[in-house]
Amino acid sequence: MTTTIKWGIAGPGMISRQFAKDLVHAEGAHLAAVAGRSLEKAESFASEFGIAKAYGSLEELAQDPDIDIVYVGTLHPAHRDNAMIFLRAGKAVLCEKPFTINAGEAEELISYARENQIFLMEAMWTRYLPAIAQVRQWLAEGRIGEVRMVKADFGFDFEWQAGSRLLDPNLGGGALLDVGIYPLSFVSMVFGEQPARVHSNVRIGATGVDEQFSLLLEYEGGKTASLNGAVQLAMPNEAYILGTKGQIHIPEFFAARTATLRVAGEEPIVYEDSRSGSGYAFEAVEAMACLREGRTESLTMPLDETLEIMRTLDGIRWQWNLRYPFES
């Protein structure tokens, strides 16, 4: 693998636009191609970001011999099929969250990538932010003692539109997969395991998807997590990690720029991130480091954990009897 790693983008939409803007902050990254279902949209995206190649299909991008890795930024009901196009072509893949619609789809991708020794990673960008890396270091050092409780919320008040992606069951809409993935992945990172029991409450809206939810997760040893999410309700969007010796507070944890450590009897320690860009570059840096080192998985966001989180998401939706029309 050369020092410069050539990226392709699948899906010239909003999240891909954020990723492309930030990729300039990832040393050694070169955005070489973009593909979508519409050549016109791909060409417009390519023109905006100075990308040399634009394709009207993902299959064409998959066959480009110059591309080292593809960022899949399409809608999550398409993640399984889209990512598989690139894996079958031998391309490394960074796939947006939620990784897939359900655990069965995730298992298909993971099994294929492992059998063929191809790099695959969930694009949980929050986990690679410097402030969250600092949080992991504080936890590893035992700064707040034994962690007993986590609280995290992520929600916003999206203008109600029956035809919007967020509220359309045919497009995998709803709060759990769109915003709930953030607190669920966060608490998975903190505790390093999935809950033994999940208690939940949900508001199903007029279109048949979950507009807001509350979760109480119980873990072995009495640990708990309280998580909330919504697409029709504004929330503080902050996280607290509570331990026997102190606590960690992370405002806007999903895009964290700061974190505060409070230990009993000590002055608070505030970590501040002065990064350039939104922060999507850090997941790209991780993916490129894996490629350069010959690794097929990230140690920070392992595929086994991605799969277990998807299983937890499935279990929560089953409690609500919420399945999407295209799920078998």
Side-chain angles (χ1 to χ4, degrees), residues 48 53 62 71 81 124 181 229 264 294 297 314 327:
E48 180 180 354
K53 301 177 187 177
Y71 168 80
D81 291 345
M124 177 46 71
I181 183 66
E297 297 187 29
D314 283 357
E327 287 185 288

Side-chain angles (χ1 to χ4, degrees), residues 114-187:
R114 284 177 167 168
E115 288 169 6
N116 294 276
Q117 299 183 19
I118 303 169
F119 176 81
L120 176 64
M121 183 178 110
E122 180 183 7
M124 177 46 71
W125 71 295
T126 298
R127 193 163 293 203
Y128 301 98
L129 298 175
I132 301 301
Q134 179 62 74
V135 168
R136 286 200 303 274
Q137 183 176 331
W138 284 335
L139 294 174
E141 293 170 351
R143 299 293 293 277
I144 62 170
E146 181 187 353
V147 177
R148 297 277 182 84
M149 185 180 295
V150 173
K151 300 197 298 181
D153 303 322
F154 186 20
F156 50 83
D157 186 5
F158 178 79
E159 182 180 353
W160 201 94
Q161 300 173 20
S164 76
R165 176 190 68 81
L166 285 173
L167 301 177
D168 189 343
N170 293 301
L171 297 177
L176 184 66
L177 294 191
D178 200 83
V179 298
I181 183 66
Y182 283 96
L184 278 160
S185 186
F186 180 80
V187 73

Side-chain angles (χ1 to χ4, degrees), residues 28-44:
H30 174 62
L31 184 47
V34 58
R37 291 178 297 176
S38 161
L39 179 58
E40 182 181 2
K41 289 182 179 179
E43 288 177 336
S44 175

Side-chain angles (χ1 to χ4, degrees), residues 17-285:
R17 181 165 278 103
Q18 291 293 332
F19 183 80
K21 286 180 180 178
D22 263 28
L23 198 58
V24 298
H25 301 293
E27 186 177 354
H30 174 62
L31 184 47
V34 58
R37 291 178 297 176
S38 161
L39 179 58
E40 182 181 2
K41 289 182 179 179
E43 288 177 336
S44 175
F45 191 96
S47 176
E48 180 180 354
F49 293 101
I51 303 170
K53 301 177 187 177
Y55 296 111
S57 73
L58 304 193
E59 287 80 5
E60 290 176 276
L61 176 59
Q63 296 307 313
D64 187 329
D66 293 330
I67 300 302
D68 300 312
I69 182 169
V70 177
Y71 168 80
V72 175
T74 54
L75 299 183
H76 43 271
H79 284 177
R80 186 266 311 271
D81 291 345
N82 292 169
M84 191 64 83
I85 289 171
F86 299 108
L87 291 175
R88 285 177 177 150
K91 302 295 187 189
V93 172
L94 175 63
C95 185
E96 256 306 328
K97 79 252 161 274
F99 192 63
T100 51
I101 281 290
N102 54 45
E105 292 185 353
E107 196 161 12
E108 285 183 49
L109 291 179
I110 292 168
S111 295
Y112 188 92
R114 284 177 167 168
E115 288 169 6
N116 294 276
Q117 299 183 19
I118 303 169
F119 176 81
L120 176 64
M121 183 178 110
E122 180 183 7
M124 177 46 71
W125 71 295
T126 298
R127 193 163 293 203
Y128 301 98
L129 298 175
I132 301 301
Q134 179 62 74
V135 168
R136 286 200 303 274
Q137 183 176 331
W138 284 335
L139 294 174
E141 293 170 351
R143 299 293 293 277
I144 62 170
E146 181 187 353
V147 177
R148 297 277 182 84
M149 185 180 295
V150 173
K151 300 197 298 181
D153 303 322
F154 186 20
F156 50 83
D157 186 5
F158 178 79
E159 182 180 353
W160 201 94
Q161 300 173 20
S164 76
R165 176 190 68 81
L166 285 173
L167 301 177
D168 189 343
N170 293 301
L171 297 177
L176 184 66
L177 294 191
D178 200 83
V179 298
I181 183 66
Y182 283 96
L184 278 160
S185 186
F186 180 80
V187 73
S188 178
M189 178 194 76
V190 173
F191 283 141
E193 61 182 306
Q194 298 305 299
R197 289 165 296 280
V198 177
H199 308 276
S200 69
N201 180 271
V202 65
R203 175 187 175 89
I204 303 294
T207 63
V209 302
D210 53 308
E211 293 183 357
Q212 71 184 59
F213 66 84
S214 295
L215 306 173
L216 176 63
L217 311 183
E218 296 181 359
Y219 298 80
E220 299 302 336
K223 299 176 293 186
T224 62
S226 174
L227 312 178
N228 300 281
V231 292
Q232 293 284 280
L233 186 67
M235 292 183 173
N237 299 338
E238 59 186 0
Y240 286 90
I241 306 172
L242 310 175
T244 53
K245 296 180 180 179
Q247 64 177 252
I248 298 170
H249 175 219
I250 311 149
E252 292 194 335
F253 76 97
F254 67 97
R257 286 183 178 269
T258 182
T260 301
L261 170 68
R262 291 184 172 89
V263 177
E266 300 179 11
E267 287 294 314
I269 297 174
V270 179
Y271 176 89
E272 295 185 350
D273 171 19
S274 58
R275 68 177 182 258
S276 299
S278 299
Y280 290 89
F282 297 106
E283 63 184 2
V285 169

